[in-house]
Amino acid sequence: MPARTPYRSLRGMSAVAALLAIGAVGCSDVTDAVDSAKDGAKKVARQRSVFSLDTGDCYNPSGKSEGTAYTVEIVPCDEAHQGQVVGEFSIDEGKEYPGDEGVSAIADTRCPVEAQKYAPDTWALPAGAALFYYTPTKESWATGDRAVSCTYTAEKGTLSGTLDTAKSLKPEQLTYLKGSNGVYEALWAHQPEKDNVEDDLAGYKAQAKAVEAALEAHVEGLNGIEGAEVGKLRSTLTKTAGHWEKAANAADADAFYVAYEPAFTGIDPNKSVAARKELGLATTVPADEAEVWAG
């Protein structure tokens, strides 16, 4: 799923706290006013430059979630918050600014990978959490800014607690997730631009080859994990890898279609639910993934 982009900016924004004048009002009004002033002061004190975000920071945007961002409010993760930084990296694209679309394309590719290092099980993410990222603008690029901050942000409401789950997972869980995530990364990262196979057979074959390689790596990882359901999934994915191989070597579009149907259905996320349950992982297929395989 494409991530959405709240851009950073070179310009800073000074935090200004308004003074509250308390006149002849009732006690309850005074108390409310004081509490409001305290909340406002705390929020101002928590303001940080968007350039200072670090992996693990929980925050609330200072303004709209999307668009140019100057500062954010850093908050403890056990408080309600709208987003958490789950990964970061630097763009190495030479001296010229890649353009807004170029920067977004880089973030679209890199942020899912970085985010999965921090929160490997995307099925366990809170409902409504979507991948966003803060990127350099043309102006900030000129000052040497190359950093991208990848975040999960609540599209509605707020998040609660940290999304840092990598440290709590067992080795076999991490192995499974690394392999599984790799398969879907290969599928979407190599998605051809053309809708029809006939218009870009080479592109679709390249995608099939990438998925085949990812499946083989996933199956190899599953070889070291015990469990009846894991064994069944390993057998299914081994056969599925064979279908992707046939698609990758298809002589024409018709041959590709014949191989692609069982290849695609073979990686239906629903087929992995039993193995996930056996491994103690989340078992509810995310709505966007369920929709894709529902046809």
Side-chain angles (χ1 to χ4, degrees), residues 29-292:
D29 292 331
V30 171
T31 300
D32 291 343
V34 171
D35 288 343
S36 178
K38 287 181 178 178
D39 290 341
K42 182 170 68 173
K43 185 172 183 178
V44 168
R46 289 175 168 179
Q47 294 296 307
R48 297 289 185 275
S49 166
V50 72
F51 293 95
S52 68
L53 283 170
D54 290 322
T55 299
D57 284 345
C58 293
Y59 70 93
N60 291 313
S62 298
K64 295 181 179 180
S65 296
E66 297 183 64
T68 303
Y70 311 103
T71 64
V72 293
E73 178 194 9
I74 302 297
V75 302
C77 290
D78 57 4
E79 290 186 15
H81 53 276
Q82 288 183 264
Q84 182 175 12
V85 182
V86 293
E88 53 190 351
F89 65 91
S90 294
I91 298 175
D92 183 15
E93 291 292 320
K95 295 182 179 180
E96 296 296 325
Y97 181 62
D100 293 348
E101 291 186 3
V103 168
S104 294
I106 294 169
D108 279 337
T109 300
R110 290 285 303 277
C111 273
V113 177
E114 297 301 321
Q116 285 172 7
K117 295 176 184 177
Y118 194 80
D121 192 356
T122 56
W123 291 27
L125 290 171
L131 194 58
F132 284 63
Y133 41 77
Y134 287 106
T135 63
T137 61
K138 184 177 181 179
E139 292 79 10
S140 67
W141 183 277
T143 69
D145 177 28
R146 301 291 186 273
V148 174
S149 298
C150 310
T151 84
Y152 272 117
T153 300
E155 294 187 291
K156 293 182 180 180
T158 58
L159 304 176
S160 178
T162 181
L163 299 175
D164 184 6
T165 56
K167 298 175 183 177
S168 63
L169 292 171
K170 299 175 182 178
E172 61 270 23
Q173 292 174 319
L174 288 170
T175 296
Y176 172 86
L177 291 170
K178 180 181 179 180
S180 178
N181 290 339
V183 171
Y184 298 105
E185 286 168 16
L187 179 67
W188 302 125
H190 295 84
Q191 185 73 14
E193 294 184 4
K194 302 293 185 180
D195 292 333
N196 298 317
V197 176
E198 292 85 352
D199 296 329
D200 187 11
L201 178 60
Y204 279 91
K205 289 173 65 174
Q207 180 195 43
K209 185 175 182 179
V211 175
E212 177 203 351
L215 272 171
E216 289 177 350
H218 188 22
V219 169
E220 183 177 353
L222 294 179
N223 285 333
I225 301 176
E226 296 181 356
E229 296 300 334
V230 171
K232 292 178 183 177
L233 179 62
R234 182 171 58 243
S235 178
T236 296
L237 295 182
T238 298
K239 294 178 182 178
T240 301
H243 292 304
W244 282 104
E245 181 181 14
K246 290 180 181 178
N249 296 320
D252 51 38
D254 288 341
F256 182 90
Y257 282 122
V258 170
Y260 185 78
E261 183 174 356
F264 189 72
T265 57
I267 58 171
D268 182 340
N270 288 287
K271 295 182 182 294
S272 65
V273 169
R276 277 178 158 270
K277 182 176 181 180
E278 188 173 61
L279 289 168
L281 295 169
T283 56
T284 300
V285 181
D288 54 347
E289 294 185 32
E291 184 177 353
V292 170

